[in-house]
């Protein structure tokens, strides 16, 4: 064997050694395979089917924050059914964080626009220790018939780490917050709710602007309050973003992102995404990179409603004894 062949052999041997010694980075983007989702009939206590449709992973440092997003579109329901888009994330040292957004999808014979539903579930991932984070997207659901199972079609979607290097606040933590468990009522006695909200936070002076998101889960009709199932509720949502001066007075405010929804009872859960994508940081005299943000929900009339907080005791799989919690109404910031 000549010297050149020896060198080539050595190079291939080195490459093989490096490949064997270095774990491959798992996929950070996956497209969902279109498929039929089967969901069980409605019983008490509720039983959800849990269908995993995609997984992504990311090797993270102790200070790193990433942004995970799941998009799902479903239609073709045989019976009006609950459709949940859930992300379940696990990481080093037992760290976990989960979120679920849901809405009822109407059956194909309903003639309603709600027979075709697209939901986004998204949040910031920050385990705080070095290691691999793995996130799985699940379709959760059940038929809303007490006598019959149902199916609907997952038409398209994806799960991705949309940003693997999100700027943290000056305390080293991501800027995000979820509404705690329970439902924050919206009705005659409580016509306004300020949830979800981000309390005061300070960003590095190099930040030029904020992309602020408030994802709200609205529930129509509340337990303990009389509800007409053939009527609806009307709620106005406004996303407020504020910047402050060093002396504690207001520097700048924005409430340009507003939407009003009239939601029938049969939708029951309504996904309301709010996004101020371009809040520019003011450099005016006295202004500092200190902020807060919140969603203001105003009940305008109709049936009682509420803002849903963290869902507790969700089964890890259909009928499993093991459970977990998943955040619902949620707010976060992507600084730029």
């Amino acid at each position: 064997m000549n010297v050149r062949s020896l060198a080539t052999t050595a190079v291939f041997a080195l490459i093989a050694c490096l490949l064997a010694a270095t774990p491959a980075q798992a996929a950070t983007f996956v497209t969902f395979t279109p498929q039929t989702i089967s969901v069980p009939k409605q019983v008490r206590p509720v039983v959800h089917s849990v269908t995993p449709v995609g997984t992504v992973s990311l090797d993270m440092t102790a200070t790193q924050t990433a942004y995970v997003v799941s998009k799902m579109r479903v239609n073709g329901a045989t019976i009006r059914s609950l459709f949940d888009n859930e992300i379940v994330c696990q990481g080093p040292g037992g760290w976990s964080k989960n979120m679920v957004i849901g809405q009822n999808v109407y059956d194909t014979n309903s003639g309603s626009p709600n027979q075709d539903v697209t939901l986004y579930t998204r949040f910031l991932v920050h385990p705080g220790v070095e290691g691999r984070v793995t996130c799985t997207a699940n379709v959760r659901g059940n038929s809303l018939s007490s006598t019959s199972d149902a199916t609907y079609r997952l038409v398209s979607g994806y799960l991705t780490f949309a940003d693997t290097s999100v700027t943290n606040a000056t305390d080293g933590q991501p800027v995000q917050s979820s509404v705690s468990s329970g439902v924050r009522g919206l009705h005659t006695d409580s016509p306004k709710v300020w949830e979800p909200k981000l309390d005061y936070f300070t960003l590095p002076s190099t930040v030029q602007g904020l992309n602020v998101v408030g994802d709200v889960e609205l529930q129509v009709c509340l337990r303990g309050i009389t509800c007409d199932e053939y009527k609806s509720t009307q709620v106005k949502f406004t996303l407020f973003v504020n910047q402050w001066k060093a002396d504690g007075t207001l520097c700048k405010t924005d409430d340009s992102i507003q939407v009003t929804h009239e939601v029938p009872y049969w939708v029951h859960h309504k996904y309301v995404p709010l996004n101020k994508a371009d809040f520019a940081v003011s450099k005016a005299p006295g202004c500092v990179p200190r902020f807060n943000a919140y969603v203001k929900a105003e009940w305008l009339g109709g049936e009682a409603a509420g803002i849903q907080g963290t869902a507790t005791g969700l089964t890890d799989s259909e009928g499993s004894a093991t459970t977990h919690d998943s955040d619902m109404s949620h707010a976060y910031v992507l600084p730029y």
Side-chain angles (χ1 to χ4, degrees), residues 9 33 36 110 121 131 159 173 178 183 194 199 277 320 328:
T9 301
T33 301
T36 297
S110 65
T121 299
L159 175 66
Q173 298 299 309
S178 296
V183 180
W194 291 265
D199 291 331
S320 70
M328 297 191 80

Side-chain angles (χ1 to χ4, degrees), residues 5 9 23 31 53 57-58 84 99 107 132 138 148 182 213 221 229 244-245 247 267 283 288 297 302 312 315 320 323:
S5 297
T9 301
T31 300
V53 293
S57 294
L58 182 67
D84 278 353
M99 187 171 173
D107 66 89
R132 177 166 290 194
N138 296 322
S148 301
V213 176
C221 292
E229 296 181 353
W244 299 88
K245 294 184 177 180
D247 63 4
V267 170
K283 305 296 183 180
V288 294
T312 59
T315 51
S320 70
T323 63

Side-chain angles (χ1 to χ4, degrees), residues 205-233:
S205 59
T206 53
V207 168
Q208 300 299 307
L210 282 64
N211 181 353
V212 183
V213 176
D215 281 339
V216 184
E217 186 82 4
L218 175 68
Q219 177 179 320
V220 184
C221 292
L222 303 178
R223 291 179 182 175
I225 298 180
T226 301
C227 176
D228 187 332
E229 296 181 353
Y230 295 95
K231 294 186 177 180
S232 60
T233 191

